[in-house]
């Protein structure tokens, strides 16, 4: 009986000593566990911000856009990707006019090289929806003006391809892509509602097929 107690005490002591080592030095499986990430796309925001002064020497045009996103891991090779993009602009039309828009996309990013220590190529099919509203005032005479408002929407299927740099806390990915879909009440001279932001807001409109290019190029944020 005494020998049994001595053996049990020895096993307990060995287990207690081994536990801190497992915590301090996690296995390779624990190290590779995917993490949730939040990010922004600063290249697109900067490009839209500079577009106002570049397209209008008087400085009357201003554009603001900031794509933000969230990656939720489903497995070591798959992540659910959400992206939200608000857009606001003020322009000098025949009178003052402005645009407000909101785009939302949901996709699934698939890693093509999950075991690489440096990074991984990925593909991301996605669905994107968008609504926008243009409004303004047009002078139609010396003493008269007309207030107008136009609302448009579109729904598209897209594909992004890119390369994600692997880091414990930094999220960094380089991305290119495009999408095609159907738009409603889109300016006739624009390929989509996204590109209509730089067009004359009060142009004739119609329902038509639309296409976009993903020119945001880079996603940067944090993983936790």
């Amino acid at each position: 009986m005494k020998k049994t107690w001595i053996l049990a005490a020895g096993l307990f002591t060995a287990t207690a000593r081994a536990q801190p080592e497992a915590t301090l030095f996690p296995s390779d499986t624990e190290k590779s566990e995917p993490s949730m990430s939040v990010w922004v796309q600063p290249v697109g925001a900067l490009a839209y911000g500079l577009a106002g002064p570049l397209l209008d020497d008087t400085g009357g045009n201003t554009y603001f856009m900031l794509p933000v996103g969230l990656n939720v891991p489903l497995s070591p090779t798959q992540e659910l990707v959400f992206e939200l993009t608000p857009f606001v602009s003020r322009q000098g039309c025949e009178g003052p006019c402005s645009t407000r828009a909101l785009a939302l996309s949901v996709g699934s990013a698939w890693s093509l090289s999950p075991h690489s220590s440096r990074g991984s190529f990925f593909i991301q099919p996605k669905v994107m929806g968008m609504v926008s509203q243009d409004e303004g005032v047009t002078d139609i005479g010396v003493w008269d003006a007309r207030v107008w408002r136009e609302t448009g929407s579109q729904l598209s299927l897209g594909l992004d391809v890119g390369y994600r740099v692997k880091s414990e806390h930094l999220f960094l990915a380089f991305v290119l892509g495009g999408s095609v879909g159907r738009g409603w009440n889109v300016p006739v001279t624009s390929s989509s509602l996204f590109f209509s932001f730089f067009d004359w807001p009060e142009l004739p409109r119609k329902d038509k097929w639309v296409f976009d290019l993903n020119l945001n190029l880079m996603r940067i944020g944090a993983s936790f």
Side-chain angles (χ1 to χ4, degrees):
M1 185 67 176
K2 185 176 181 180
K3 292 182 178 180
T4 303
W5 280 107
I6 292 174
L7 179 60
L11 291 175
F12 178 80
T13 302
T15 303
R17 289 179 177 176
Q19 185 63 33
E21 294 179 1
T23 303
L24 293 174
F25 304 101
S27 65
D28 292 338
T29 302
E30 292 172 335
K31 289 180 180 179
S32 61
E33 189 70 20
S35 58
M36 185 178 296
S37 304
V38 293
W39 44 267
V40 298
Q41 297 186 128
V43 175
L46 181 61
Y48 271 81
L50 293 175
L54 291 177
L55 295 177
D56 183 12
D57 295 336
T58 65
N61 292 351
T62 58
Y63 301 93
F64 172 79
M65 180 191 72
L66 184 61
V68 296
L70 173 68
N71 280 40
V72 180
L74 301 179
S75 74
T77 58
Q78 183 186 10
E79 292 182 314
L80 193 60
V81 183
F82 299 92
E83 183 177 340
L84 183 69
T85 305
F87 181 89
V88 179
S89 74
R90 295 186 180 278
Q91 304 176 59
C93 307
E94 293 181 353
C97 58
S98 62
T99 299
R100 291 176 295 175
L102 187 66
L104 174 66
S105 72
V106 181
S108 180
W110 298 84
S111 175
L112 302 181
S113 50
H115 303 298
S116 172
S117 60
R118 294 185 176 181
S120 175
F121 288 98
F122 67 89
I123 59 173
Q124 180 192 325
K126 62 182 182 181
V127 178
M128 183 188 72
M130 181 177 183
V131 293
S132 71
Q133 184 178 80
D134 298 305
E135 58 184 25
V137 178
T138 300
D139 295 329
I140 58 177
V142 178
W143 304 105
D144 201 3
R146 179 174 64 88
V147 179
W148 56 268
R149 182 177 292 107
E150 295 283 354
T151 301
S153 59
Q154 70 178 55
L155 184 65
S156 304
L157 295 176
L159 179 67
D160 289 338
V161 296
Y163 184 83
R164 176 177 173 179
V165 178
K166 286 193 175 179
S167 176
E168 184 177 0
H169 298 295
L170 173 68
F171 181 94
L172 181 62
F174 303 93
V175 185
L176 287 173
S179 62
V180 294
R182 188 66 177 173
W184 296 271
N185 204 32
V186 180
V188 293
T189 58
S190 300
S191 62
S192 72
L193 286 178
F194 269 113
F195 285 101
S196 72
F197 296 151
F198 301 110
D199 215 333
W200 197 263
E202 205 183 1
L203 285 171
R205 297 172 175 243
K206 68 176 183 178
D207 301 343
K208 64 177 184 177
W209 293 101
V210 295
F211 66 89
D212 288 295
L213 296 176
N214 184 355
L215 302 178
N216 290 300
L217 303 180
M218 182 176 71
R219 301 169 180 172
I220 184 170
S223 299
F224 53 91

